[in-house]
Amino acid sequence: MFNFVVIGMVLHQPLTGYDIKKYVDISIGNFFKASHGQLYPALKKLTDKNYLTMEEQSQGGRIKKYYHATKLGKDAFMDWLSAPTDFNSSSDTIMVKIFFFGELPDEIRRQRLYECELFVQQNLHKLREIEEQFAHSIESDRDYFEIATLYYGIQNNLSTLRWLRHIKEKKPYSGFIQKEDK
């Protein structure tokens, strides 16, 4: 997945490795981490495979390497992005794909969001079944905190469903984000 993140970052404009890392940090850094130790080998590999081009430019007495996606790289990226999501992968992978969903045609984007919604609904159903079995058997602090994590999962899935439905319709963010309790 890391290689696709790199390609996605340079789809529309050439960036240096430093710029790519900075863009990752400010855009998807709350759920995806990239290190320089990962980035520079990936840039070399992607350039060697002709997924990226690299152009050196002199700036202020320094040589900077700018990377940009090739047609082959864009095609590979779009194949990855368009493919059904593997819900056995981490939630970070799912969020990274959603970050780039603006690159997809509307019909494919809606289908992938629907698949995400269906997956979350199935998770929520499983958690509700567990809740029915165990929520009324709180006999100790251990039971309480174990069940507290169950309720965290339920709340998280409910929030994710609400969020998916909101972005599927491309509604204004102001209608989704709730003010923080103080």
Side-chain angles (χ1 to χ4, degrees):
M1 173 183 70
F2 186 78
N3 289 342
F4 294 115
V5 170
V6 173
I7 295 169
M9 293 294 166
V10 296
L11 279 177
H12 301 291
Q13 66 179 4
L15 297 172
T16 66
Y18 175 83
D19 293 334
I20 294 167
K21 168 80 169 83
K22 193 165 86 174
Y23 188 33
V24 167
D25 289 348
I26 64 172
S27 60
I28 59 176
N30 63 327
F31 53 83
F32 182 83
K33 302 298 177 207
S35 70
H36 291 285
Q38 289 175 289
L39 179 60
Y40 289 101
L43 288 169
K44 177 163 180 19
K45 180 180 173 183
L46 291 167
T47 303
D48 290 347
K49 290 175 80 173
N50 198 30
Y51 285 4
L52 300 180
T53 59
M54 186 272 294
E55 179 183 332
E56 292 182 342
Q57 293 181 8
S58 179
Q59 285 187 341
R62 295 182 57 179
I63 301 289
K64 290 189 173 188
K65 296 179 180 181
Y66 285 86
Y67 297 87
H68 195 265
T70 64
K71 174 153 179 23
L72 185 65
K74 289 176 185 179
D75 290 346
F77 174 82
M78 292 306 293
D79 288 346
W80 168 76
L81 188 61
S82 299
T85 304
D86 176 9
F87 293 109
N88 292 320
S89 61
S90 72
S91 62
D92 297 349
T93 301
I94 297 165
M95 290 299 294
V96 165
K97 285 187 92 168
I98 291 173
F99 175 80
F100 290 113
F101 272 10
E103 302 295 332
L104 290 174
D106 192 50
E107 183 179 316
I108 295 172
R109 179 177 46 242
R110 286 179 126 346
Q111 178 62 33
R112 296 299 166 256
L113 287 170
Y114 172 76
E115 291 163 0
C116 289
E117 188 177 349
L118 190 59
F119 175 74
V120 173
Q121 286 173 333
Q122 291 167 347
N123 275 346
L124 183 59
H125 180 72
K126 290 175 191 173
L127 293 173
R128 292 291 192 191
E129 286 177 346
I130 294 169
E131 177 189 29
E132 287 178 22
Q133 293 174 346
F134 297 105
H136 305 292
S137 60
I138 299 174
E139 297 175 8
S140 67
D141 282 349
R142 178 180 170 194
D143 294 338
Y144 176 84
F145 286 100
E146 286 177 358
I147 292 170
T149 61
L150 171 68
Y151 284 120
Y152 172 84
I154 290 170
Q155 185 59 42
N156 192 40
N157 277 269
L158 287 169
S159 180
T160 301
L161 271 177
R162 187 171 157 256
W163 175 74
L164 284 168
R165 290 172 180 156
H166 195 91
I167 66 168
K168 190 168 63 175
E169 300 301 322
K170 293 198 277 188
K171 293 181 180 178
Y173 299 121
S174 60
F176 180 77
I177 298 174
Q178 297 173 347
K179 299 216 181 210
E180 201 176 303
D181 292 337
K182 294 194 181 195

